[in-house]
Amino acid sequence: MRFRETSLPGAFEVLLEPHEDERGFFSRLWCAQEFAATGLPTGFVQASLSHNERSGTVRGMHFQWPPSREGKIVRCESGSVHDVLLDLRPDSPAFLRHVAVVLNAARGNAVYIPPGIAHGFQTLEDHTRVGYVMTDFFAPHLAGGVRHDDPAFGIVWPRPVSVISQKDCDWPLFDPLTHRRRYERPVS
C-alpha cells in the first residue's frame, strides 16, 4: 500500500500496490503495521456497506460530532464514486475546504477520513457498492451532516443528482459560529 496525504491534514488516499502475474493480481487492502507507520489508527470496530442502484445518487455529507472519534476507510467495491471529504474541524488549517477523489473498484483505491471531516459521495455508475470500516461505533445522537449543495462549501458534483435522501436535503445551511460552538462543547 501507498499513502498519499490529501490537502486536508490527516486525510489520505490509500493506493494499492498490486503484484501481477498471468492470473491477475494480488494486493494488500489493509495492514495494521503500514497504517501505524503512517500515523493512522489501526483499531477498527465496525464495517458497513452501501448499495446504490442509480448513477448520480448522492449520500452525504455526514460526520459524527465529538466526543465521537469516528475515522473511517472508504473503498468502492463495485462501480465508481466521486468521493468528497469536507474539513469541519474548527482548529484545522483546512477548515471548510474540501477535496474530491474518484474511487473505483478497478483501481481499488480508498480514502482514510479522520474524525471531524464530513464525507459524501456521488455514484458514477449504476449498481455501485461502497464499503466502510470505522474506528468508533456509530452513535445516532452524535450523527451530523451538512447540505451537499451548501454554497458555503462550493462542492461541485460531476453529475446532476438523481437520488438523495430527504434527510440529506433537510440539513440547514452552514453557520460557522453555531458549528464551532457545538464542536467545542461535546455532548455525551
Side-chain angles (χ1 to χ4, degrees), residues 7-148:
S7 61
L8 306 182
F12 288 81
E13 182 177 7
V14 182
L15 303 160
L16 298 181
E17 291 186 304
H19 301 280
E20 298 183 50
D21 64 20
E22 64 279 355
R23 299 167 293 176
F25 76 86
F26 179 87
S27 186
R28 185 176 300 127
L29 296 177
W30 159 252
C31 176
Q33 289 175 327
E34 291 180 41
F35 266 67
T38 306
L40 299 176
T42 60
F44 293 90
V45 298
Q46 193 169 339
S48 299
L49 176 71
S50 77
H51 175 80
N52 307 275
E53 283 294 319
R54 292 178 43 204
S55 175
T57 298
V58 169
R59 289 185 187 253
M61 302 292 295
H62 306 142
F63 64 95
Q64 291 274 287
W65 289 101
S68 173
R69 299 302 304 151
E70 183 190 77
K72 53 187 143 185
I73 300 171
V74 176
R75 182 181 310 278
C76 194
E77 296 184 3
S78 67
S80 59
V81 297
H82 177 83
D83 203 79
V84 178
L85 288 63
L86 171 64
D87 198 335
L88 293 179
R89 302 169 293 184
D91 58 343
S92 171
F95 182 55
L96 302 184
R97 289 201 333 242
H98 67 276
V99 297
V101 177
V102 173
L103 302 178
N104 67 53
R107 282 185 61 213
N109 61 328
V111 288
Y112 170 73
I113 305 161
I117 291 185
H119 171 255
F121 63 80
Q122 183 176 49
T123 58
L124 301 175
E125 300 178 42
D126 290 344
H127 310 293
T128 293
R129 289 186 176 207
V130 178
Y132 308 71
V133 291
M134 284 76 76
T135 60
D136 201 356
F137 296 102
F138 177 72
H141 68 288
L142 298 176
V146 296
R147 290 179 60 94
H148 73 288

